[in-house]
Amino acid sequence: MKREVRFAFAALRRRPLLRLLAWSVPEVAPAMISGVALARAVDDGFLAGRPAVGLAWLAGLLVAGGIGAIGSRHVFRCLGDLVEPLRDDLARRVVGGALLTAVAGKPDRGALARLTRQVEIVRDTYAGLLVVLRGFAVTVAGVVIGLLSVAPILIVLIAPPFLLGCAAFVATLGLAADRQRDAVIADERLAAAAALALSGTRDVVASGAEEHASAMVAEPIERQASAARALARVDALRTLCFALGGWVPLLAVLIAGPWLAGRGLTTGEIMGGLTYVLIGLQPALRELMSGLGGTGLRFVITLGRILDAGPPPLSAGPPPSPALNGYDVVVRGLTFAYGPGAEPVLNDLYLCVPEGEHLAVVGPSGIGKSTLVGLLCGLLRPSVGVIELGGVPVDALPAGRLADARVLIPQEAYVFTGTVLANLTYLRPDATRSEVDLAVTAVGADHVMARLGGLEAELTPAGLSAGEGQLIALVRAYLSPAPVAVLDEATCHLDPAAERRAENAFAERGGTLVVIAHRISSALRARRVLVLDGTGATIGDHDTLVRTSPLYRELLGHWHPDALARPDNVGTPRPEGVRVRAW
């Protein structure tokens, strides 16, 4: 519970909180003037034979209520500035935690429920708690000021039991949170046990296992009942706390009435003190107990679940990142299938892409090229085998470190609403204008910039053609400091000339370039080509593959008779560091 409370206080923004407190000042007026107005109305008005004066004081109480209403209106306007940042922080935490677990190969199936339901519960209960706590503080402040104005001696009678009742209630909150959490867990276990027993009702009856089924749910039922009884005991404690803080002060003033009168207090002043207890402190204490005991517990438990499922706090620091020894991409014994019973898309593949290499991957549609990209970039986990980047397994690299090392441009380019410059520098915010201009020219996106109106122009994804979106994504990737660039048919919406210019730009950019070819011309520009044909994998330069790969020759659209003279191309040398096995 302490963790959740610390998180809630840390989420408070200073300036919105100050504005809320400032607008809470007018709300002090009704609580402050209620007892004073009643005391003056009785003593100076009705008992003195001047009903007009008494009515005037009561009218003043109505005016004070109007002032408080104005303050309340602005308070609720300020509330959103305090609540929405918390919601945004939690949403980022849930999404970040889900992404981290997904990258680690452990999809978080509860993330959607936390994002769409639990985050909203926390936001609403957080707002309710702020309203309750602020209202309690405002009322108590108003009552104290009012009592000082009417008769300071009344504070001696009212404050000690009231504060003692508040302290006792606060002391029960930790116990109440534990009991509420136990009740939730007991309900979940009972529901699971009951669902299991009910799903097999027919078999239970057929085999005469009713007693066994009853015994199976008996323990969860008893735990749920025990948790409910524990909650009831906590509610009883809360009632005692309210009696101590709300009713004992009232009894203290009534019992001390003769003594107070003997010290010079008037009937109106004693009635004013009773008014402060009855319509000030009692409702405030009741609202506090109801809010913290109900909304507060729901807030703590729900927030606790979000914090338990989220990523570690920033203060803990990111996990240490293994040091990369260069940026060679090495694949050893890679096998991958979409599901336990599915046929492998890739099977026992060995591959080495040295740092600085320009590799093109070709093959028929649906043969596994994009799957290979997902595995190389750490978006998919191999069923068998290992993929290393710089000597470190890709799945051992933190997501941030992996993103720094490689950049992926998929076939469907991602463009977001914002300025052109923000889209281009998304992966490198510190890029200078001259670097951006050079990247735009190198990739061949000058005409897109001219049509959009320059770097400061606003763009929307719907206003771009597919080719324009790809050019913007290509410039963004070109600017990225990542030394490994992977183009997964990232130029499929460009014409051949624009595709050639973009690929040449990335080849001259430096670093490693892997291109999933949309056109066979991409293979002609690469130093080496990996051919996937569904039954095998062959790698080599253009001349070697023309001699050794029938599929590559077919993709080129012509045949080399010399290559046909050697069926299966037995003995054809393969580039050093590459091992290819049959699928």
Side-chain angles (χ1 to χ4, degrees):
M1 181 174 175
K2 292 181 180 179
R3 176 190 56 168
E4 290 81 3
V5 172
R6 287 196 301 269
F7 185 90
F9 276 107
L12 290 173
R13 269 52 175 182
R14 182 177 179 181
R15 293 183 65 182
L17 179 61
L18 291 177
R19 287 199 303 271
L20 182 138
L21 293 177
W23 280 111
S24 297
V25 172
E27 286 195 83
V28 177
M32 178 181 65
I33 202 174
S34 60
V36 176
L38 184 61
R40 298 285 74 83
V42 171
D43 292 338
D44 300 340
F46 300 115
L47 291 181
R50 295 184 293 177
V53 174
L55 292 175
W57 275 107
L58 295 180
L61 185 57
L62 293 177
V63 172
I67 295 173
I70 294 174
S72 298
R73 177 184 179 187
H74 288 279
V75 161
F76 281 95
R77 286 184 174 181
C78 299
L79 196 61
D81 295 334
L82 285 170
V83 173
E84 293 307 319
L86 173 73
R87 178 189 179 279
D88 295 341
D89 289 345
L90 290 176
R92 282 191 290 268
R93 188 181 186 91
V94 170
V95 173
L99 290 175
L100 286 177
T101 55
V103 169
K106 301 175 181 178
D108 186 353
R109 304 186 185 280
L112 182 60
R114 286 194 298 276
L115 183 63
T116 58
R117 177 172 172 78
Q118 294 184 13
V119 168
E120 296 304 318
I121 290 175
V122 170
R123 181 187 67 168
D124 294 342
T125 53
Y126 185 60
L129 287 175
L130 289 177
V131 171
V132 168
L133 291 173
R134 186 203 58 83
F136 179 78
V138 165
T139 301
V140 171
V143 167
V144 170
I145 296 172
L147 287 172
L148 290 174
S149 301
V150 172
I153 194 172
L154 291 172
I155 295 180
V156 178
L157 296 172
I158 294 173
F162 176 75
L163 294 177
L164 188 60
C166 292
F169 167 68
V170 172
T172 66
L173 287 178
L175 178 64
D178 293 338
R179 296 296 179 266
Q180 184 69 42
R181 190 178 291 108
D182 292 342
V184 171
I185 295 174
D187 285 342
E188 292 176 351
R189 290 178 176 174
L190 175 58
L196 182 62
L198 292 174
S199 65
T201 300
R202 184 178 61 180
D203 295 333
V204 168
V205 174
S207 59
E210 290 88 345
E211 292 185 3
H212 175 74
S214 299
M216 186 173 64
V217 297
E219 183 180 357
I221 289 175
E222 178 55 34
R223 287 186 179 182
Q224 196 270 346
S226 176
R229 288 192 293 268
L231 275 178
R233 288 193 291 270
V234 171
D235 288 338
L237 286 176
R238 190 178 303 158
T239 302
L240 292 176
C241 294
F242 179 77
L244 177 60
W247 289 107
V248 171
L250 186 70
L251 292 175
V253 174
L254 289 174
I255 293 173
W259 178 77
L260 293 172
R263 295 183 63 87
L265 267 68
T266 65
T267 301
E269 289 171 339
I270 296 175
M271 289 182 64
L274 295 174
T275 300
Y276 280 125
V277 175
L278 283 173
I279 69 172
L281 295 182
Q282 274 196 5
L285 185 58
R286 184 181 294 109
E287 190 71 20
L288 179 71
M289 291 184 173
S290 175
L292 293 185
T295 301
L297 293 180
R298 192 158 59 250
F299 170 80
V300 168
I301 292 172
T302 308
L303 178 59
R305 292 195 171 195
I306 294 176
L307 296 180
D308 290 338
L314 295 178
S315 58
S321 176
L324 298 180
N325 183 20
Y327 293 96
D328 292 351
V329 179
V330 177
V331 178
R332 291 196 297 268
L334 173 64
T335 297
F336 178 82
Y338 288 100
E343 190 72 19
V345 179
L346 300 170
N347 189 22
D348 203 20
L349 176 65
Y350 287 75
L351 174 67
C352 176
V353 184
E355 182 177 352
E357 178 69 281
H358 180 182
L359 175 72
V361 182
V362 300
S365 178
I367 209 66
K369 302 188 296 296
S370 293
T371 299
L372 178 60
V373 166
L375 291 161
L376 294 179
C377 293
L379 305 179
L380 300 173
R381 294 171 63 88
S383 305
V384 178
V386 65
I387 302 171
E388 294 180 348
L389 176 61
V392 178
V394 169
D395 54 10
L397 288 170
R401 184 67 185 91
L402 186 58
D404 292 337
R406 60 97 179 99
V407 59
L408 168 64
I409 310 95
Q411 179 178 354
E412 298 300 328
Y414 172 68
V415 181
F416 56 87
T417 300
T419 65
V420 176
L421 182 62
N423 273 273
L424 298 183
T425 60
Y426 181 74
L427 299 177
R428 189 182 168 190
D430 60 344
T432 65
R433 287 298 183 95
S434 60
E435 289 172 332
V436 174
D437 292 337
L438 288 174
V440 168
T441 302
V443 173
D446 306 81
H447 65 286
V448 178
M449 299 300 107
R451 189 187 75 78
L452 294 175
L455 296 178
E456 298 300 334
E458 292 286 331
L459 65 80
T460 57
L464 298 175
S465 67
E468 289 173 333
Q470 284 191 330
L471 284 172
I472 289 176
L474 287 165
V475 175
R476 179 195 301 147
Y478 185 92
L479 283 169
S480 165
V484 179
V486 182
L487 279 62
D488 184 10
E489 297 194 22
T491 58
C492 64
H493 296 297
L494 304 181
D495 59 53
E499 179 183 66
R500 180 176 66 253
R501 181 171 179 176
E503 288 184 3
N504 286 338
F506 274 88
E508 296 169 1
R509 168 181 177 267
T512 304
L513 175 62
V514 178
V515 178
I516 304 301
H518 176 66
R519 299 181 178 92
I520 194 62
S521 54
S522 296
L524 302 178
R525 289 186 286 270
R527 295 180 195 169
R528 290 198 301 164
V529 182
L530 174 66
V531 182
L532 302 178
D533 61 11
T535 59
T538 310
I539 191 169
D541 59 23
H542 168 74
D543 294 335
T544 300
L545 291 175
V546 166
R547 296 193 308 271
T548 61
S549 173
L551 176 59
Y552 188 71
R553 292 196 299 269
E554 182 181 346
L555 294 172
L556 285 173
H558 62 272
W559 298 87
H560 284 258
D562 293 341
L564 296 176
R566 290 184 292 140
D568 299 328
N569 301 296
V570 177
T572 301
R574 295 190 177 96
E576 185 178 355
V578 176
R579 182 181 178 190
V580 180
R581 293 184 177 179
W583 287 12

